């Protein structure tokens, strides 16, 4: 059974049903039924036209459901609209599905789940496993999302920025269970890049590739986090880096800078440095200045403080950090790092312990706790 083929066909089959007038929620249910039937039938009797087969089965399932709960006149109209047998048109409506699933009325978590289901072709169980939540919880989340977008016109212009935010969220989830969400986000972003000519789509794809190239070195065999400066750069994926840089350069050449291109430029400078000591921190600060101008995000300014500390010394970094509220996530961790660089081990150890208490996950908490213990051991001469 070619699962990759099924997943690649899912968005176009769903789009065809919606374009023919099916309600999004009902169409999505019908497509899922067709996929289950394909898994049952295809191994023994593979169709010559897989997409056409899925469209036919999904449309019939939709009609069956419609007949059960709609008026007779509407049922007859739908039956009259059933297409004649034959090849399905080669129209790719995946882009519209992206915009529909990233509708601004949805919460970020619902938009991500709906995108993975409708565009990514993942099952509810797979999405639930990736998010480490019960399948019933994820099913409710997807059902609510489908109800929210069910009345949205399919031809309404979409917001590219919203779609990119959703894909960025998918990528940042990483992976767990049988679905690698980072790889899935790259697959979906490649698909979007093929459907729309937009420099920020290219910027996001480049950013994902450059970050993903370092993935194998981010954790030690025992699962502990490995900071960027300590990663084995010889194990970085040079093919992904080269592809990411090429895509980024083409996007930057269009002179329509956006936040994802700027982030990708920073990632490219890290990837280009043979060693941590050879990193071009001055240029990274310049890119953070651009990124701050584009977003004015406190998190961006926090990361800029780290870069300033590397380029101009830890006290300059602490001065930049002082301009930010200590409520910004990971503020204490950055302050601890800069104080350690400045030689104030007592303050750094205290801040590492404080940052560990606020860590968003167990791996980060364990890393920060080890940092605090390391400095306390140094101070006591052990």
């Amino acid at each position: 059974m070619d699962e990759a083929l099924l997943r690649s066909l899912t968005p176009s089959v769903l789009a065809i049903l919606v374009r023919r007038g099916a309600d999004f929620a009902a169409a999505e249910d019908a497509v899922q039924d067709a996929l289950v039937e394909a898994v049952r039938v295809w191994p023994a009797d593979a169709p010559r036209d897989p997409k056409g087969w899925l469209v036919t089965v999904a449309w019939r399932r939709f009609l069956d459901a419609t007949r059960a709960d709609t008026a007779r006149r509407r049922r007859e109209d739908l039956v009259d609209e059933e297409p004649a047998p034959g090849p399905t048109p080669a129209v790719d409506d995946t882009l519209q599905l992206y915009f529909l699933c990233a509708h601004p009325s949805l919460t970020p978590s619902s938009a991500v789940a709906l995108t993975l289901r409708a565009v990514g072709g993942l099952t509810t169980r797979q999405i639930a496993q990736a998010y480490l939540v019960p399948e019933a919880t994820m099913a409710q989340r997807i059902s609510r999302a489908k109800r929210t977008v069910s009345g949205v016109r399919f031809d309404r212009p979409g917001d590219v920025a919203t779609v990119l935010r959703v894909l960025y969220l998918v990528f940042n989830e990483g992976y767990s269970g049988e679905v690698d969400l980072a790889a899935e986000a790259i697959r979906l972003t490649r698909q979007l890049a093929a459907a729309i000519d937009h420099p920020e789509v290219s910027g996001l794809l480049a950013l994902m590739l450059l970050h993903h190239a370092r993935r194998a070195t981010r954790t030690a065999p025992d699962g502990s986090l490995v900071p960027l400066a300590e990663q084995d750069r010889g194990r970085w994926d040079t093919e992904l880096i080269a592809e990411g840089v090429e895509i980024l350069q083409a996007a930057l050449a269009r002179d329509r800078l956006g936040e994802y291109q700027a982030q990708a430029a920073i990632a490219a400078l890290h990837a280009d440095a043979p060693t941590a000591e050879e990193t071009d921190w001055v240029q990274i600060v310049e890119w953070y200045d651009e990124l701050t101008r584009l977003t004015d995000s406190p998190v961006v300014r926090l990361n800029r403080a780290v870069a300033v500390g590397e380029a101009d010394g830890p006290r300059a970094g602490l001065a930049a950090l002082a301009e930010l509220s200590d409520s910004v996530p990971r503020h204490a961790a950055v302050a601890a790092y800069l104080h350690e660089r400045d030689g104030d081990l007592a303050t750094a150890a205290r801040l590492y312990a404080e940052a560990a208490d606020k860590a968003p996950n167990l791996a980060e908490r364990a890393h920060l706790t080890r940092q605090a213990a390391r400095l306390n051991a140094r101070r006591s001469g052990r």
Side-chain angles (χ1 to χ4, degrees):
M1 189 67 214
D2 191 344
E3 182 180 346
L5 174 62
L6 280 179
R7 288 169 60 187
S8 68
L9 293 175
T10 296
S12 57
V13 173
L14 175 58
I16 288 172
L17 265 65
V18 174
R19 193 171 65 248
R20 288 176 179 170
D23 173 84
F24 181 88
E28 206 276 335
D29 288 339
V31 171
Q32 292 298 320
D33 287 343
L35 293 174
V36 171
E37 186 69 5
V39 171
R40 186 183 71 82
V41 172
W42 286 11
D45 185 19
R48 285 180 293 180
D49 179 10
K51 180 179 175 181
W53 188 98
L54 287 171
V55 169
T56 299
V57 173
W59 185 254
R60 287 174 179 168
R61 293 298 172 91
F62 168 68
L63 290 178
D64 288 343
T66 302
R67 291 188 182 101
D69 56 20
T70 60
R72 178 183 178 84
R73 181 173 61 83
R74 181 57 182 153
R75 293 201 309 266
E76 292 173 350
D77 289 343
L78 287 170
V79 171
D80 290 341
E81 293 169 11
E82 182 170 0
T88 56
V91 178
D92 186 1
D93 291 308
T94 302
L95 182 58
Q96 284 85 348
L97 283 182
Y98 273 108
F99 293 135
L100 192 60
C101 294
H103 194 268
S105 63
L106 294 174
T107 64
S109 61
S110 294
V112 168
L114 192 59
T115 299
L116 290 172
R117 175 71 178 262
V119 186
L122 304 185
T123 65
T124 302
R125 179 182 59 81
Q126 289 173 319
I127 301 171
Q129 284 184 342
Y131 277 86
L132 302 178
V133 299
E135 185 173 350
T137 300
M138 185 55 68
Q140 291 174 352
R141 184 181 300 174
I142 293 173
S143 294
R144 286 195 298 268
K146 289 195 294 185
R147 286 196 299 271
T148 299
V149 301
S150 62
V152 178
R153 286 179 57 84
F154 189 61
D155 58 355
R156 178 179 295 181
D159 179 7
V160 175
T162 303
V163 175
L164 294 180
R165 277 197 299 273
V166 169
L167 290 172
Y168 191 52
L169 286 171
V170 175
F171 182 79
N172 285 337
E173 286 298 328
Y175 73 102
S176 57
E178 66 183 54
V179 179
D180 183 338
L181 289 186
E184 183 66 13
I186 291 173
R187 184 182 76 86
L188 294 175
T189 307
R190 286 189 190 279
Q191 194 179 72
L192 182 62
I196 182 172
D197 182 20
H198 193 291
E200 273 293 80
V201 177
S202 298
L204 179 58
L205 179 56
L207 176 63
M208 289 178 176
L209 294 173
L210 290 164
H211 278 307
H212 206 56
R214 306 199 302 259
R215 172 171 169 170
T217 65
R218 286 204 182 101
T219 56
D222 63 359
S224 59
L225 295 180
V226 179
L228 176 61
E230 299 173 18
Q231 291 174 12
D232 180 358
R233 299 180 180 227
R235 295 175 57 211
W236 287 358
D237 189 326
T238 54
E239 289 187 6
L240 284 184
I241 291 173
E243 182 185 4
V245 169
E246 182 180 359
I247 292 171
L248 173 63
Q249 288 175 338
L252 291 175
R254 300 176 64 174
D255 198 23
R256 290 170 54 193
L257 183 65
E259 61 177 296
Y260 295 114
Q261 294 170 72
Q263 288 188 57
I266 293 168
L269 286 168
H270 283 298
D272 186 55
T275 65
E277 293 73 23
E278 296 175 87
T279 303
D280 189 346
W281 287 107
V282 172
Q283 193 172 350
I284 287 177
V285 171
E286 293 174 355
W287 276 111
Y288 271 121
D289 289 340
E290 290 286 351
L291 194 53
T292 301
R293 181 180 59 80
L294 290 166
T295 68
D296 196 28
S297 162
V299 174
V300 170
R301 294 173 65 190
L302 184 77
N303 291 329
R304 179 185 178 277
V306 176
V308 169
E310 299 290 353
D312 301 326
R315 294 192 179 182
L318 287 167
L321 187 65
E323 300 174 4
L324 292 171
S325 167
D326 59 9
S327 63
V328 177
R330 296 183 173 86
H331 185 284
V334 170
Y337 174 74
L338 291 171
H339 277 291
E340 180 183 358
R341 289 274 320 280
D342 196 37
D344 186 351
L345 301 189
T347 300
R350 175 179 58 79
L351 288 169
Y352 275 131
E354 179 184 323
D357 289 338
K358 300 176 181 178
N361 56 66
L362 292 176
E364 191 168 331
R365 179 179 302 171
H367 172 71
L368 293 168
T369 300
R370 284 193 297 271
Q371 296 293 82
R374 174 179 58 81
L375 293 188
N376 285 327
R378 281 181 58 187
R379 291 175 58 221
S380 63
R382 286 177 285 160

